[in-house]
Amino acid sequence: RMATNIFFAARSTTDPGADESITRRSDALGRYFQEHVFVPAVSSVDTTSWHDLCCQILAMARGSSTISNAIVALSQLHFNKFFSTTEHNKGPHALRNGENLSHYLYIFARESLIEGLEQLKVKPSASLRRELLIGLFLLTCFEVSHLSSVTNIG
C-alpha cells in the first residue's frame, strides 16, 4: 500500500500539517503524471484522449493502492527517462539510482497487482476487476516505456 500511503493517503484528522504535505505531494504527482507522462506507443496516437484517461486514472488512484503504485512506478520511470536527461550536471550514478528506484517501484506495483488478483479469486467484484485492469494497463505502459528507453525506440 506504499503509494497510497505516500501520495494518495486519506486526510488525517490528527495532524493538519501532514495533511497539507500529503496534499501537496499528491497534487504534484498528479500534475506530473497528467502533464508529462506519456507512452509513445499509446499517447502519440491521440494526446487529448491520453490526458483525459490520465485524469480518470488519477481519480481512481485515490482509492486504489494498485493503481497508485503503478502510477508512481510509471512516473518515476518517465522522470528518469526524460527529465533527468535534460539535467547534464547529474552523473551516471544519479541516473542509475533513479533506474534502480523505478525498477523497485515496478516490482512493488506488480506485487500489489498480484495480491489484488488473489483477492479477486476469493471475493470477485466488478470494481476490483476494473482496478486490476487499470493497474495492468499502467504496468504494461511501464514495460513499453522501459523497452523503448532500452532500445531507443521512442
Side-chain angles (χ1 to χ4, degrees), residues 9 38 89 95-96 111 153:
F38 63 94
N89 60 344
L95 295 176
R96 189 173 45 256
E111 288 175 1
I153 294 172

Side-chain angles (χ1 to χ4, degrees), residues 49-68:
S49 294
W50 173 255
H51 287 292
D52 291 345
L53 178 62
C54 286
C55 287
Q56 293 174 19
I57 290 172
L58 282 170
M60 293 177 73
R62 293 200 178 275
S64 167
S65 60
T66 299
I67 295 173
S68 56

Side-chain angles (χ1 to χ4, degrees), residues 72-85 90-108 142 145-152:
V72 170
L74 182 58
S75 296
Q76 180 66 42
L77 175 69
H78 191 277
F79 182 81
N80 294 342
K81 182 178 173 185
F82 295 103
F83 186 76
S84 60
T85 59
K90 287 194 172 189
H93 68 283
L95 295 176
R96 189 173 45 256
N97 289 340
E99 289 169 6
N100 290 341
L101 177 59
S102 64
H103 182 71
Y104 166 77
L105 292 169
Y106 169 81
I107 290 169
F108 192 87
F142 181 101
S145 294
H146 180 66
L147 178 63
S148 70
S149 68
V150 170
T151 59
N152 291 323

